[in-house]
Amino acid sequence: MNTHFSVLDYVVFGLYALLIVGIGLWISRTKKGEEKTADDYFLANKSLTWWAIGASLLAANISAEHFIAMSGSGFVTGLGIAAYEWVAAITLIVVGKYFLPIFIEKKIFTMPQFLQLRFSRGVSTVFAVFWLLVYVFVNLTTVSYLGALAMEKIMGVPLMWGIIGLGLISGIYSIYGGLKAVAWTDVIQVVFLIGGGLVTTFLALNAVGGGSIMHGFAEIYEKGRDHFDMILTKGQLFIPNTVDPQTGAVLTTKDAFYDLPGLAVLFGAMWLTNFGYWGFNQYIIQKGLAAKSLDHAKKGLVFAGYLKLIVPLLVIIPGITAYVLIHNYTPAELSVMIGKPVELVGEIVKSDEAYPWLLKNFVPAGVRGLAFAALIAAIVSSLASMINSTSTIFTMDIYKNYMNKNATNKQLVRVGRIVAFAALFIASLAAQPLLGGLDQAFQYIQEYTGFIYPGVCVVFFMGLFWRQATVNAAWWTAIATFPTSILFKMFMPEAPFQLRMGYVFIILMLIASVVSFIDKGKKVQSACPESFMGKAALNAGWAMVVLAGIGVILGITLSETLEHLAFSSIYMFSSMIAFVGVILITNVKMKVADANAIEVDKKIFETGPAFNIAAIGIVVIFTLLYFLFW
């Protein structure tokens, strides 16, 4: 594929790289004679405002797996993949109102640290190791690989050199400056990210519409109508699964229902994916922990929710546009539309090449450098966040707990930097071997992080809110998480992974509930404080149990008839509602509680008119989007 990256593009991109690294290092500076503290390095000295938190959350989240992999999924699957973004917007409301206030009130650095506070160091360590493995071998590798793939297709940079280059840009300031450098450079990078992403989308639509963006959208909607279904049915669409990394030949195909199983995107494990990612994922929640106040933290998350609503416009619509162009126009017609010889237009061999193809063909010189800078901004910001959080978890949960309990601030910061470098180095070596043969890397991320999210959600839900949950319940849930996920993968390989995640969640929920009820543990006499729970919670709990029962009855009645829509996912949704209902009821009715149960004042959950109005707005927009594109 001819890159057509002009000298001006290289200059624009080079200036961007210098700007980000320069600002990152400038923010990282300390006064003469001062040393960085752990609080400063890992939590930005708790100085982030709501708009910085929202921007940093989006920048940390949106990366190569969106611009490259989600565009690739949009190319083959369509708008249905936007469920990850739009459900996330709802999730952020819940996290901002109910989860984050407790984390901030307990003054923690990491998610495993919360588990140690609530349960035990053993439970904390299990999840710390889980996250470290996922960050290094799933998140860092995927972002590095896809970013380098874009650089190869657009700039002609060899894949391995691209991986190394991205690691250097993100590593220089994040390893030296910590979270403060990461968060404040994210504020700048999110401007590039949104601006550059919109430029690519609008220019491609403008070309399709013959000079009109709105006409271009109407054109792709008409010619790619099958790509605008949010709810896919079984057998509706078959897509590439694996491809030859050398020739791009499709080796195997699969039903798109496997990735987006009908109603499971609304009733199934999509919620576990989002709660696990936005609520309990270190490199995401760390931005909220660094807020200058609880009010700023809450507003930052709801602001991020609005930003998530527009992400499909940046990454999925371009993928659908590329699909329409490739499948509805001949090479000669594309040549005329783009104004290039046929041989320079190129083709899309792998789905993940859709966005680079658009960038190369529809964005002019100079602007292409800016748009590519947006892509690299997304990649670099995510890498920087992942690097920082990997070092935070290892330093605070492994090193400080097991290697040097009395470590000084200087030692903690030094170890954090060493671990950050090591994680980046390992991920760079592993990236190409792990991902070279995949057609859609986005689904690789979702499936394999889904191996731990059911257990993460169960343990954190009961850790945050269930006064009867015991250490043994958390311990057995943690131990059972990975093996149970593997067993379902082995014995139900044809089942959509979101349904498998739901089944794993149900089993883990039952394990946690049974163990908590029969385990004497360290339970003590403790009536539920009125300041935390009361009659309203009891009534809500019974309502949830009744609603869950109705869901199970509907599942038994309709699951077989609506198998093509994965209606059986209603069981997972009902189980989640029932779990919350049982937690609320037992908290009020039972007069004993685990000795380490979380006791907080319900005032920390209160939100002002601005948050409430913004949250209602997100729910209304979410409902309208699904109504329009069902």
Side-chain angles (χ1 to χ4, degrees), residues 310-326:
I310 67 172
V311 167
L313 186 61
L314 306 178
V315 297
I316 299 174
I317 295 302
I320 297 174
T321 303
Y323 167 82
V324 169
L325 288 168
I326 290 293

Side-chain angles (χ1 to χ4, degrees), residues 235-437:
Q236 176 181 341
L237 181 66
F238 286 86
I239 59 177
N241 183 31
T242 56
V243 296
D244 187 312
Q246 302 300 322
T247 65
V250 176
L251 301 178
T252 60
T253 62
K254 64 178 177 181
D255 191 342
F257 183 83
Y258 181 86
D259 294 333
L260 295 168
L263 293 173
V265 299
L266 296 178
F267 296 142
M270 182 75 74
W271 292 103
L272 302 182
T273 298
N274 277 285
F275 280 127
Y277 182 87
W278 292 101
F280 314 125
N281 180 357
Q282 181 65 28
Y283 79 83
I284 292 297
I285 207 69
Q286 193 166 344
K287 309 302 172 58
L289 297 177
K292 66 188 301 182
S293 70
L294 180 56
D295 184 58
H296 275 274
K298 291 177 180 179
K299 289 178 179 176
L301 264 68
V302 80
F303 174 48
Y306 277 95
L307 294 177
K308 288 296 286 180
L309 290 174
I310 67 172
V311 167
L313 186 61
L314 306 178
V315 297
I316 299 174
I317 295 302
I320 297 174
T321 303
Y323 167 82
V324 169
L325 288 168
I326 290 293
H327 290 88
N328 289 273
Y329 295 88
T330 66
E333 289 172 331
L334 287 175
S335 173
V336 174
M337 181 187 296
I338 297 169
K340 290 182 180 179
V342 172
E343 61 272 14
L344 295 183
V345 172
E347 56 186 358
I348 298 174
V349 178
K350 293 173 63 175
S351 302
D352 286 345
E353 294 177 1
Y355 194 86
W357 182 82
L358 283 176
L359 199 59
K360 173 178 115 37
N361 284 307
F362 291 91
V363 183
V367 180
R368 187 185 300 122
L370 178 65
F372 188 63
L375 170 59
I376 299 302
I379 296 164
V380 168
S381 59
S382 291
L383 284 174
S385 292
M386 292 169 190
I387 293 166
N388 183 259
S389 292
T390 302
S391 71
T392 304
I393 288 178
F394 184 90
T395 304
M396 305 305 292
D397 297 302
I398 305 295
Y399 175 75
K400 191 173 182 181
N401 271 340
Y402 294 99
M403 301 177 186
N404 189 352
K405 294 181 180 179
N406 299 313
T408 64
N409 278 313
K410 184 176 181 179
Q411 289 172 321
L412 292 174
V413 172
R414 183 172 67 242
V415 169
R417 286 170 173 163
I418 293 170
V419 171
F421 176 80
L424 191 57
F425 180 75
I426 294 169
S428 297
L429 291 179
Q432 189 171 2
L434 284 175
L435 299 167

